[in-house]
Amino acid sequence: MKLIRFGEIGKEQIGVQIEEENYDVSAFGGDYNEVFFEQDGLTRLGNFVKENRALLKRIPEGIRVGAPIARPSKIVCIGLNYKDHAEETGAAIPVEPIIFMKSTTSLVGPYDKVIIPKNSTKTDWEVEFGIVIGKKASYVEQEDALKYVAGYVLHNDVSEREFQLERGGTWDKGKGCDTFAPMGPVLTTTDEIPDINNVRLWLKVNGKTYQNGNTSNLIFSVEHVVSYVSQFMTLLPGDVISTGTPAGVGLGFNPPIYLKEGDVIELGADYLGESRQEVIAYAEPIK
């Protein structure tokens, strides 16, 4: 099953994607959030769709598609999880997963605009394979890790490299700016992907391909990172773990290439769909 959310920002309703068509299932009630996953919402929704398939209405073209999950309790990211990406940035290959956090306020839809933050000169892109947690996970063994996963999402881990690497402290300040976590268009459930450790992902800027990777090259697998993160924090239903990015980020070029107003980012992954974000400059809010 593939889950979507649609409608105005803050007023999203729930839907499903069936054979590339989006259908309204708001009559099911609720949202794709912690309560939904915690209360076996995927099973109940699947039954609802089967029972009401003929009655489901298509979502009209032109309706905004939001992130496929409501704002989670946390977005956890794994840094330098592809050997080629670590090498292009001049970083050592990690011996354990590197954990950092993105603010939940950075979450936006797959076609929403990405805002270059105020005073930013080094905003960058990162296509990633994201894991959505399906039930409360604490001290999970690696062999049991996939039992705690609801599905997977496409994620652009937008990053401001000066904030991240040159301003002291942790990486988080360069990762959690507003609009820095476009996700979707769909949440693809676990049964839809035959091999999560063999998923191609790619990213283009202004039509030029910069990233072309595969989850088969992860240093730490999906199972590993779910288990590992759960040793340090309780993962709640609806939480996201983003597994890292392959080579080809702007920081890795000589000289580096960073996003500017008017740029268009396109990215995608097998089974997870494609997304597109236009880059705009920060503007002071009207008071």
Side-chain angles (χ1 to χ4, degrees), residues 5-8 13 22 58-66 111:
R5 295 169 70 249
F6 65 97
E8 297 177 31
Q13 300 182 70
N22 295 335
R58 288 186 182 180
I59 298 168
E61 295 289 334
I63 300 290
R64 173 183 174 270
V65 175
Y111 312 113

Side-chain angles (χ1 to χ4, degrees), residues 16-281:
V16 294
Q17 187 175 98
I18 303 171
E19 297 177 351
E20 306 305 318
E21 294 285 350
N22 295 335
Y23 292 87
D24 184 343
V25 294
S26 56
F28 178 79
D31 202 350
Y32 298 146
N33 54 20
E34 182 179 341
V35 172
F36 171 84
F37 293 108
E38 188 174 46
Q39 296 182 355
D40 198 22
L42 287 175
T43 299
R44 293 185 295 108
L45 178 64
N47 292 335
F48 175 87
V49 171
K50 288 178 184 178
E51 294 167 3
N52 297 277
R53 176 68 179 86
L55 302 176
L56 298 181
K57 295 182 179 179
R58 288 186 182 180
I59 298 168
E61 295 289 334
I63 300 290
R64 173 183 174 270
V65 175
I69 56 172
R71 185 183 294 179
S73 82
K74 49 190 169 291
I75 302 171
V76 186
C77 297
I78 308 300
L80 304 175
N81 200 20
Y82 287 79
K83 184 172 181 287
D84 55 3
H85 174 55
E87 289 173 343
E88 73 174 344
T89 62
I93 305 300
V95 295
E96 291 190 41
I98 294 171
I99 295 175
F100 63 89
M101 310 289 281
K102 290 183 84 81
S103 66
T104 59
T105 51
S106 66
L107 181 66
V108 292
Y111 312 113
D112 291 342
K113 291 178 170 57
V114 165
I115 301 171
I116 296 175
K118 186 177 182 179
N119 301 320
S120 165
T121 58
K122 298 181 179 180
T123 296
D124 202 351
W125 60 82
E126 294 190 5
V127 60
E128 304 205 2
F129 183 82
I131 306 162
V132 179
I133 299 300
K135 60 181 180 178
K136 187 176 180 180
S138 179
Y139 298 109
V140 172
E141 296 295 331
Q142 185 168 327
E143 57 267 30
D144 296 325
L146 296 186
K147 298 176 184 177
Y148 293 83
V149 176
Y152 305 96
V153 293
L154 177 67
H155 175 215
N156 186 359
D157 175 21
V158 185
S159 310
E160 212 297 338
R161 301 303 187 187
E162 181 187 4
F163 299 176
Q164 176 190 356
L165 302 171
E166 301 173 33
R167 299 284 296 274
T170 67
W171 289 6
D172 302 49
K173 66 177 71 170
K175 295 286 190 171
C177 303
D178 291 351
T179 74
F180 268 27
M183 286 192 196
V186 297
L187 183 159
T188 301
T189 53
T190 57
D191 58 309
E192 295 269 347
I193 304 179
D195 184 1
I196 54 172
N197 292 304
N198 185 22
V199 175
R200 185 179 74 91
L201 56 165
W202 54 268
L203 182 143
K204 299 178 182 180
V205 179
N206 300 329
K208 180 178 178 179
T209 298
Y210 284 94
Q211 293 186 277
N212 192 0
N214 193 292
T215 58
S216 62
N217 295 320
L218 286 167
I219 297 171
F220 304 106
S221 69
V222 168
E223 299 91 333
H224 187 112
V225 298
V226 171
S227 172
Y228 185 86
V229 172
S230 78
Q231 309 305 309
F232 302 96
M233 65 190 79
T234 295
L235 295 165
L236 298 178
D239 283 354
V240 176
I241 302 176
S242 200
T243 57
T245 197
V249 302
L251 175 65
F253 290 89
N254 187 16
I257 303 168
Y258 294 118
L259 294 167
K260 61 186 184 302
E261 184 177 12
D263 285 347
V264 174
I265 313 165
E266 298 169 284
L267 58 152
D270 295 342
Y271 313 105
L272 304 182
E274 301 179 4
S275 70
R276 180 185 186 276
Q277 297 98 43
E278 178 186 344
V279 179
I280 63 173

